Amino acid sequence: MDMPTDTENTYESKTVRAVRGLESRTIEKMESGGWEVVSQTPGRIQTEIMFRRPAPRSRRVLWIVGGGVFALALAVIFAIGIIGERDTDSAETASPPSSEKAAPSEQPSIEATVAAQAPQPEPNDVVLTPENSPELATVLALTDYCSPDIAAFAAAHRGQTISFPGSVGDIAPYEGASTRYLILLGAGDFSETSAPGPAFQFRDVNTTDDMRWGGSVPDTIVVGTNLSITAKVDRYEERSCLFLLEPVATSVR
């Protein structure tokens, strides 16, 4: 399929679907073939990525374009050389800096020094829950998992621990591994008709030690398993709308 973008260039386009969290791998593979990303449309499980690349053109046209670029580069280099010479001349004629010494700064008061040395509370020591954090409660109730409020929350609380009831929405192998997974998590009890809150994800984890199980360890976890999740905020990926977490403690509800 050809997709013209201007009067001189003609592009061919291609649409590829990638599992959420593996978009970069798909993009890298396509870019090695000369494709460039045009747009990404994230879904709950998969992301639809549109690529394009220039359609084949004659060698003569390519030679003309290459010659034009080369000439433009020469012109830019010549202009930079002239500007550099002017800057050098200006620097040589500039007046020498003043030799006056700045007045010594005043010594801080004892009270200010004591206040600066006083220990400050560490916000990361507090585990955020929907009960003690209205901000987290609001994020967990959002219906748009690409909401900018989620990005703001992740940035403000990166490295902090949160705890909430959640459920497994999807499990997929991580980069073809047999014991490493991408685990998509939702807020609250599992439902096939609704999925409130961010699209949380445990990335590149196994289902045993990495989950930090508390209590009895389940033989396996599947889509629909309800969990109590305590995890550290990693980051929010705006391109995929995934909210990455690092497991701290997990238990089956």
Side-chain angles (χ1 to χ4, degrees):
M1 173 181 178
D2 291 341
M3 181 176 63
T5 58
D6 51 47
T7 58
E8 297 182 357
N9 297 320
T10 300
Y11 293 86
E12 55 181 339
S13 64
K14 185 174 184 179
T15 300
V16 177
R17 290 181 174 84
V19 175
R20 293 282 300 279
L22 298 180
E23 293 91 344
S24 59
R25 183 180 178 186
T26 301
I27 291 173
E28 181 179 355
K29 180 179 179 181
M30 294 297 292
E31 287 180 342
S32 66
W35 297 89
E36 63 175 339
V37 177
V38 176
S39 64
Q40 295 189 51
T41 305
R44 192 73 182 182
I45 305 300
Q46 293 183 326
T47 298
E48 185 176 278
I49 309 173
M50 179 176 288
F51 297 89
R52 73 173 186 179
R53 68 180 178 185
R57 305 177 66 183
S58 67
R59 292 186 178 181
R60 179 175 179 274
V61 173
L62 292 177
W63 182 85
I64 293 174
V65 173
V69 172
F70 179 72
L72 178 60
L74 287 179
V76 171
I77 293 172
F78 181 72
I80 292 175
I82 294 176
I83 294 173
E85 291 180 358
R86 291 179 179 176
D87 290 343
T88 301
D89 293 340
S90 299
E92 291 176 351
T93 58
S95 60
S98 173
S99 60
E100 295 181 0
K101 295 183 178 180
S105 59
E106 296 181 358
Q107 295 295 327
S109 65
I110 296 177
E111 292 81 0
T113 302
V114 172
Q117 294 177 349
Q120 300 296 323
E122 291 291 340
N124 287 354
D125 291 343
V126 179
V127 177
L128 299 182
T129 68
E131 290 73 29
N132 65 20
S133 172
E135 188 179 4
L136 176 59
T138 299
V139 167
L140 294 177
L142 291 173
T143 56
D144 178 9
Y145 62 93
C146 290
S147 169
D149 292 339
I150 298 175
F153 179 88
H157 299 283
R158 185 168 189 176
Q160 195 163 358
T161 302
I162 62 175
S163 183
F164 61 95
S167 56
V168 178
D170 185 61
I171 302 178
Y174 177 71
E175 296 187 350
S178 59
T179 59
R180 311 293 296 181
Y181 300 94
L182 300 166
I183 303 179
L184 189 67
L185 304 166
D189 293 342
F190 177 78
S191 171
E192 294 183 351
T193 58
S194 64
F200 293 112
Q201 187 186 72
F202 288 160
R203 179 175 294 177
D204 188 16
V205 296
N206 58 36
T207 57
T208 53
D209 295 340
D210 290 347
M211 298 294 287
R212 308 288 181 88
W213 292 107
S216 59
V217 179
D219 294 332
T220 184
I221 58 173
V222 296
V223 173
T225 301
N226 290 324
L227 303 171
S228 292
I229 301 167
T230 301
K232 183 179 295 185
V233 174
D234 183 356
R235 65 187 184 277
Y236 175 78
E237 295 182 340
E238 293 189 5
R239 294 181 66 179
S240 63
C241 295
L242 290 173
F243 192 147
L244 272 59
L245 300 176
E246 297 178 3
V248 172
T250 312
S251 60
V252 177
R253 293 190 289 120

